[in-house]
Amino acid sequence: MTEVATTVAKETVTAVKAGELQSITPGQMIAIALEKGTDFSQLEKLMDMQERWERNEARKAFVQAMAQFKAMAVRVTKNRKVRYQNKDKSFTDYSHATLDHILEEVCPALSECGLSHGWRTEQNNGLIYVTCRLTHELGHSEETTLFGPPDTSGGKNAVQAIGSTTTYLERYTFLAVAGLATPDQDDDGAG
């Protein structure tokens, strides 16, 4: 056993005997090691332990924040109706939630739980990849990636086609990583 581990073990036993059972964090172990003049290799191991401990604490905080967010029961409503004529002269009708509407309804609750989001996009082999990352204020992140071809429907130019797919994928990656869905619109059975 190293001198630092021995010192920590002795101090823990003393605390337990005094009825002060408390866990010692890796940061406290590093402080003890510095007081004892521990060599660099031991400090390096303690620093690695500290980083693992912090990552685990951040992961646990993320899980807790997501549970808090889910308890808020944020409801995303569909705010845009789409209707267009198909090549066979029939019509397609549907409703969806626009990206700005989703963010307006969801981001305040995420923020209240210490969570934020962001996207990363890239193009590869004619496909557009969008990744949405949800990050807790302590640093743990979870992400979802979706991809698709540029949306050339409706006479869009090449740049508009990329923008349309990007927005679509941003909307669905955000909903997926946040664990949300938009409800079917209630049409009283008329649909």
Side-chain angles (χ1 to χ4, degrees), residues 114-152:
L115 297 163
S116 62
H117 76 283
W119 290 281
R120 183 178 66 249
T121 60
E122 64 181 85
Q123 293 182 55
N124 191 2
N125 294 325
L127 295 174
I128 300 160
Y129 291 78
V130 175
T131 299
C132 185
R133 178 178 294 204
L134 199 58
T135 303
H136 186 266
E137 59 194 3
L138 292 183
H140 181 78
S141 296
E142 304 263 331
E143 61 184 38
T144 296
T145 301
L146 295 172
F147 61 91
D151 172 19
T152 57

Side-chain angles (χ1 to χ4, degrees), residues 76-93:
V76 178
T77 58
K78 295 179 179 182
N79 67 317
R80 176 76 45 92
K81 184 152 179 74
V82 176
R83 177 179 170 92
Y84 61 89
Q85 188 172 11
N86 300 303
K87 290 179 183 176
D88 67 359
K89 304 295 183 198
S90 65
F91 286 91
T92 297
D93 293 291

Side-chain angles (χ1 to χ4, degrees), residues 84-85 87 150-164:
Y84 61 89
Q85 188 172 11
K87 290 179 183 176
D151 172 19
T152 57
S153 67
K156 295 177 184 77
N157 67 38
V159 175
Q160 290 170 326
I162 292 168
S164 178

Side-chain angles (χ1 to χ4, degrees), residues 9-157:
K10 284 179 185 175
E11 290 183 13
T12 302
V13 168
T14 304
V16 169
K17 285 180 182 175
E20 304 168 6
L21 181 57
Q22 58 187 31
S23 59
I24 295 178
T25 67
Q28 292 166 320
M29 293 171 99
I30 292 168
I32 293 167
L34 289 171
E35 283 178 21
K36 302 294 180 192
T38 302
D39 65 69
F40 180 74
S41 66
Q42 289 298 316
L43 283 174
E44 194 171 39
K45 288 177 185 176
L46 288 171
M47 292 296 290
D48 289 342
M49 184 189 313
Q50 173 71 16
E51 287 177 16
R52 285 192 312 273
W53 183 80
E54 287 175 356
R55 279 193 306 272
N56 190 48
E57 291 299 303
R59 183 192 56 77
K60 290 189 296 187
F62 180 91
V63 169
Q64 187 175 35
M66 284 300 291
Q68 179 186 355
F69 170 69
K70 291 297 195 168
M72 294 175 158
V74 175
R75 183 172 165 85
V76 178
T77 58
K78 295 179 179 182
N79 67 317
R80 176 76 45 92
K81 184 152 179 74
V82 176
R83 177 179 170 92
Y84 61 89
Q85 188 172 11
N86 300 303
K87 290 179 183 176
D88 67 359
K89 304 295 183 198
S90 65
F91 286 91
T92 297
D93 293 291
Y94 64 91
S95 294
H96 73 278
T98 59
L99 180 59
D100 63 322
H101 180 69
I102 293 168
L103 297 178
E104 189 176 283
E105 290 188 351
V106 177
C107 286
L110 284 176
S111 181
E112 190 175 319
C113 298
L115 297 163
S116 62
H117 76 283
W119 290 281
R120 183 178 66 249
T121 60
E122 64 181 85
Q123 293 182 55
N124 191 2
N125 294 325
L127 295 174
I128 300 160
Y129 291 78
V130 175
T131 299
C132 185
R133 178 178 294 204
L134 199 58
T135 303
H136 186 266
E137 59 194 3
L138 292 183
H140 181 78
S141 296
E142 304 263 331
E143 61 184 38
T144 296
T145 301
L146 295 172
F147 61 91
D151 172 19
T152 57
S153 67
K156 295 177 184 77
N157 67 38

Side-chain angles (χ1 to χ4, degrees), residues 156-171:
K156 295 177 184 77
N157 67 38
V159 175
Q160 290 170 326
I162 292 168
S164 178
T165 297
T166 301
T167 300
Y168 182 88
L169 295 174
E170 285 175 342
R171 185 167 69 234

